[in-house]
Amino acid sequence: MSEKPKNFMNPYLAGILLGLVLLATIYITGRGLGASGAMKSAVVASVNVVAPSHVQNTKFYQEYTQEHPDGILKNWLVFEVIGVVIGAFLSGLVSNRLTFKLERPEKVKSMTRIVGAFVGGAFFGLGAQFARGCTSGAALSGMAVLSTGGILTMFCIFGGAYMFAYFFRKLWL
Amino acid sequence: MGPLIPANGLNLVIGLFLGIAFGFVLEQAGFSTSKKLVGMFYGYDFTVLRVFFTGGLVAMIGVVAFAHFGLLDMSLVYINPTYLWSAIVGGLIMGLGFVIGGFCPGTSVCAAAIGKIDGIIFVVGSLFGVLVFAEGYPLFEGIYWDKFLGNVQMSETLGISQGLFAFLFMAMGAASFLFTQWVEEKVNGKPNPVLQPKKLYIGFSAVIFLVGLSAFILPNPEVSKPKEVKKEIQNGKIQAAMITPDELALRIINYDNNIKIYDFRPTEEFEKLSLPNSINLKIEDLFRKGSNKLLASDIEVKKIIIADNEKSALEAEEIIKDKGYKNLYVLKGGMQKFADEILNFNMPANNIPQNMLATYNFRKSASKTIAQIIKDSKKSNVIVKEKKRVLGGC
C-alpha cells in the first residue's frame, strides 16, 4: 500500500465533469448541488437530540422544522452529502490518497492549522447561512441557473477571500 | 421535458448517487487539499478557479440550451432567491472563512472523507458556525430577509438575454483562465506542466468558444416563438383548420366527448364564462411542463382552440402545432363571434333571409341549451395553476 498518490485530474477536464454532474442534477431534480444545507440539517438534528424543547421554542429551528415536514434528516441534501463522502472516499481509494494526517504548510505549526481550520469553518458555516448556500449551493449552482443572488455571492466569496488573503498569508506561505 | 422531479423516495436515492459523482469529481480535481484551494488567493495554484469556472459555465450553457430546446422548464427549476444584503454579507464572511480555513463546506467534506484531519476540523467548525447563526438568529434576521429581489436571474437584472449573459460570462471565464495562467507562471517561475501541450488547449478553447457563441445566438423561445408566429400570420403564411361557432355549438349540445376546448382568454373572462370541458391556458403555459401534459393526455381528441379573437387563437394554435400536436381547430371569429351568434343570440324581428331560417332557429335553441350546459358543467373546467418550483438551496 505504499504506492505513490496519483496525479490530480486535469482541471479543465474535472471542470467539465463537474458541470455535467451539476447539469444532470438540475435536469433530474430541478435543483442544484449543495453542501452547507446538510450541515444545517445535522446541526438542527443534533440540537433536537440534546434539547428538544429548545428546538420547539426557538424561531430558527421552528422555521426549519416547518420547511422540512418529512423529518429533519430526510432531506435531499443530506443524502447528497452522504454521497459526497462516499464519492470522495472512492476517489481517494483509486488514487492512493487515503491518509490520516493533518495537512499543513511546512512552516505552519499543527496547532495553528487546527485553530485556523476550526475558525475558518465557523466563518464559512455562518456566512453560508446568511447567503442561503455555500460555494456549492449558492455560488456554483446559482451560477448554473444564472441566479443574481448566487452570482453575487460567488463574487463576494472570491472577492472577499482576495481582500482578506494578505492578512492571513502567514497561515499559508 | 425536465426537470423530471422523481417521487420523494427515489429522489433521495438519486441524490445519493449524484452526490457520489460530485464527491468523486471534487476529490479527483484536488479539492481535498487546502494548499491547492488557497493557492488561488496567493497566486501559486489556480486549480480551483479553473475547475469551478469550467464547471459552472458547462452547467450554465447546458441549462440555457436545454431551456431553449424546450427540454427544461425553468419555471420549475429552483433559482436561488436574491436577498441582496445577506448575499453580499454572507459571501464576504465565507471569503474570510476560505482564507483562514482553507476549505469550503463541500471540499472539507471531501478532505474529511479521505482522512485529512484539517478537513474534519473544518467540518466541525462549520457546524459550529451554523449553530452560532441558529442561536443568534433574532440578531441576524433583519439583514437575512432584507432587500428581497425575487428569484431573479442575472440576465433579467442586467436586462439582457440569457444567451448573451452566458456568452459574456464565458468570455470573462476565458480571460481569467489566460490571466491566471500568466500570474501562476510569474509566481512559480516556471510554466504549469499540467497545461502543456499548448496547442491542445488552444484547440480546446476554440471549441468551447464556439459552443458559447451558439448559446449567444439561442433566443429564449418563450419570447421569440410568439413573435415569429405573429409575423407569419401577418404575412398570411398560416393555414389552420377552422371550426364555425355553429359546429362548435352543435358538438357542445350533443355532449361530444371527442372534443376538448383550450381557452386562451384571460383568466378573469374564463372565470366569468367558460364553455364546458374547457381548459384555460396562457401562451406562456405552452412553454411549461404542465400544459404539455394536458395536451399530450388527449392526443386523439379534437383540440379546439379559442381566444377572444381568431388571431390570438391562431397564434396559440401555431405554437401548439409546432410542438407536434395534431387535430387542432381554431374557433372562427373567436369567442366574440361565438357570443354574438350563439350565446347572446337575438332572433331578428323581421327580414330573416329564407335560407337562414333553420340556422337562426338552431342558434335560438342552442343559446338556451348551452346556457344550461354551462351552468351544469362549471365544476369540470380547469384553470391551470402555476406549479411550484422545486425547493432547493442550502
Side-chain angles (χ1 to χ4, degrees):
Chain A
M1 285 301 283
S2 58
E3 268 182 79
K4 260 179 71 180
K6 290 182 189 149
N7 284 338
F8 293 119
M9 191 186 277
N10 176 300
Y12 294 107
L13 177 61
I16 290 172
L17 292 176
L18 176 63
L20 293 178
V21 172
L22 180 54
L23 183 60
T25 306
I26 293 170
Y27 181 74
I28 297 170
T29 68
R31 48 160 307 147
L33 296 161
S36 59
M39 293 180 170
K40 182 166 150 184
S41 306
V43 168
V44 176
S46 312
V47 176
N48 195 35
V49 170
V50 179
S53 64
H54 183 61
V55 169
Q56 278 156 27
N57 299 325
T58 314
K59 202 171 176 193
F60 179 84
Y61 302 107
Q62 283 168 346
E63 284 182 10
Y64 180 92
T65 38
Q66 271 163 21
E67 283 166 21
H68 300 82
D70 292 343
I72 295 169
L73 289 176
K74 206 184 164 199
N75 170 324
W76 193 87
L77 279 170
V78 171
F79 281 74
E80 184 242 57
V81 169
I82 293 171
V84 170
V85 173
I86 299 171
F89 179 82
L90 291 176
S91 165
L93 188 68
V94 297
S95 299
N96 299 315
R97 280 196 287 266
L98 296 184
T99 56
F100 192 68
K101 66 162 195 204
L102 183 81
E103 191 183 38
R104 63 187 163 85
E106 276 167 37
K107 290 180 204 158
V108 175
K109 288 192 191 112
S110 289
M111 203 52 207
T112 313
R113 177 71 191 117
I114 289 171
V115 173
F118 183 84
V119 173
F123 274 120
F124 225 119
L126 180 71
Q129 289 311 305
F130 273 107
R132 296 169 169 79
C134 56
T135 330
S136 324
L140 184 65
S141 303
M143 179 176 162
V145 295
L146 284 77
S147 155
T148 301
I151 292 170
L152 200 60
T153 298
M154 179 189 83
F155 279 116
C156 288
I157 294 175
F158 289 108
Y162 274 108
M163 213 163 71
F164 299 120
Y166 178 79
F167 305 103
F168 298 99
R169 63 192 186 283
K170 291 268 162 60
L171 291 178
W172 304 105
L173 298 177
Chain B
M1 189 181 216
L4 306 175
I5 315 179
N8 206 2
L10 180 62
N11 204 12
L12 295 179
V13 177
I14 288 171
L16 185 77
F17 281 100
L18 289 167
I20 291 175
F22 184 37
F24 193 89
V25 173
L26 286 182
E27 208 289 322
Q28 281 295 313
F31 281 20
S32 54
T33 155
S34 55
K35 277 194 243 176
K36 229 174 165 55
L37 290 165
V38 292
M40 166 176 179
F41 306 116
Y42 297 101
Y44 62 80
D45 189 338
F46 283 93
T47 304
V48 174
L49 178 118
R50 292 182 187 116
V51 178
F52 182 92
F53 236 96
T54 310
L57 281 170
V58 166
M60 179 196 278
I61 289 161
V63 165
V64 171
F66 275 27
H68 170 76
F69 292 113
L71 294 170
L72 193 62
D73 179 353
M74 283 309 284
S75 74
L76 295 180
V77 170
Y78 175 78
I79 293 172
N80 312 50
T82 303
Y83 292 85
L84 194 60
W85 292 121
S86 57
I88 293 172
V89 170
L92 292 176
I93 295 174
M94 285 191 269
L96 181 62
F98 214 153
V99 281
I100 298 177
F103 288 114
C104 61
T107 52
S108 69
V109 169
C110 290
I114 63 162
K116 296 264 174 78
I117 295 166
D118 44 333
I120 298 169
I121 295 169
F122 188 96
V123 172
V124 176
S126 305
L127 296 171
F128 179 72
V130 177
L131 187 70
V132 169
F133 186 84
E135 295 303 324
Y137 187 54
L139 218 64
F140 306 131
E141 212 179 352
I143 195 168
Y144 185 67
W145 295 107
D146 200 19
K147 277 263 182 281
F148 179 52
L149 305 182
N151 296 68
V152 282
Q153 292 185 307
M154 210 61 183
S155 42
E156 296 169 70
T157 308
L158 300 176
I160 55 178
S161 76
Q162 281 191 1
L164 178 59
F165 180 76
F167 180 76
L168 291 176
F169 220 70
M170 170 167 273
M172 200 182 84
S176 71
F177 292 154
L178 288 177
F179 176 69
T180 54
Q181 182 164 0
W182 178 78
V183 171
E184 210 175 74
E185 283 172 10
K186 285 267 168 215
V187 170
N188 297 335
K190 58 176 187 215
N192 186 337
V194 178
L195 300 176
Q196 309 295 333
K198 265 192 177 146
K199 260 187 193 161
L200 183 75
Y201 276 89
I202 292 169
F204 182 66
S205 313
V207 172
I208 296 266
F209 181 78
L210 287 176
V211 174
L213 204 60
S214 69
F216 172 53
I217 54 171
L218 297 179
N220 181 354
E222 205 175 319
V223 180
S224 64
K225 191 75 204 168
K227 274 189 199 154
E228 238 170 72
V229 167
K230 260 184 201 157
K231 219 176 186 179
E232 279 176 21
I233 293 173
Q234 245 167 21
N235 297 340
K237 276 186 189 161
I238 303 287
Q239 278 194 328
M242 297 295 213
I243 183 168
T244 62
D246 289 322
E247 190 189 342
L248 180 60
L250 186 67
R251 284 180 181 273
I252 292 172
I253 291 167
N254 291 338
Y255 293 99
D256 189 338
N257 279 331
N258 206 25
I259 62 166
K260 188 130 207 175
I261 298 168
Y262 295 89
D263 191 335
F264 284 87
R265 290 174 305 147
T267 309
E268 310 90 66
E269 284 177 44
F270 183 82
E271 277 169 344
K272 264 188 236 154
L273 173 83
S274 57
L275 299 177
N277 214 1
S278 64
I279 294 172
N280 186 221
L281 287 172
K282 294 187 217 48
I283 295 277
E284 303 95 87
D285 292 332
L286 296 175
F287 300 95
R288 305 272 181 273
K289 203 177 169 187
S291 77
N292 284 302
K293 253 187 191 158
L294 283 173
L295 287 161
S297 61
D298 19 53
I299 231 147
E300 296 300 322
V301 169
K302 286 199 164 104
K303 298 175 192 52
I304 299 178
I305 291 136
I306 67 177
D308 277 329
N309 53 56
E310 190 181 305
K311 208 179 138 211
S312 313
L314 202 57
E315 281 168 31
E317 189 263 358
E318 281 308 299
I319 294 169
I320 299 172
K321 198 200 277 175
D322 193 62
K323 292 190 174 286
Y325 295 104
K326 294 192 173 76
N327 261 338
L328 306 171
Y329 297 85
V330 172
L331 176 63
K332 219 171 178 170
M335 196 60 180
Q336 254 153 10
K337 199 173 178 198
F338 191 80
D340 290 345
E341 288 191 353
I342 309 286
L343 296 175
N344 309 322
F345 181 71
N346 276 322
M347 186 70 105
N350 42 30
N351 290 337
I352 300 174
Q354 211 33 247
N355 59 343
M356 290 301 280
L357 194 60
T359 311
Y360 280 17
N361 277 326
F362 165 73
R363 288 179 185 173
K364 195 181 160 195
S365 73
S367 142
K368 275 188 203 147
T369 323
I370 291 179
Q372 190 57 43
I373 294 175
I374 287 173
K375 236 187 202 172
D376 297 342
S377 73
K378 259 282 177 291
K379 284 167 231 151
S380 69
N381 292 355
V382 190
I383 294 169
V384 176
K385 287 203 190 89
E386 268 183 50
K387 267 199 178 173
K388 270 175 91 185
R389 277 176 200 286
V390 173
L391 282 178
C394 276

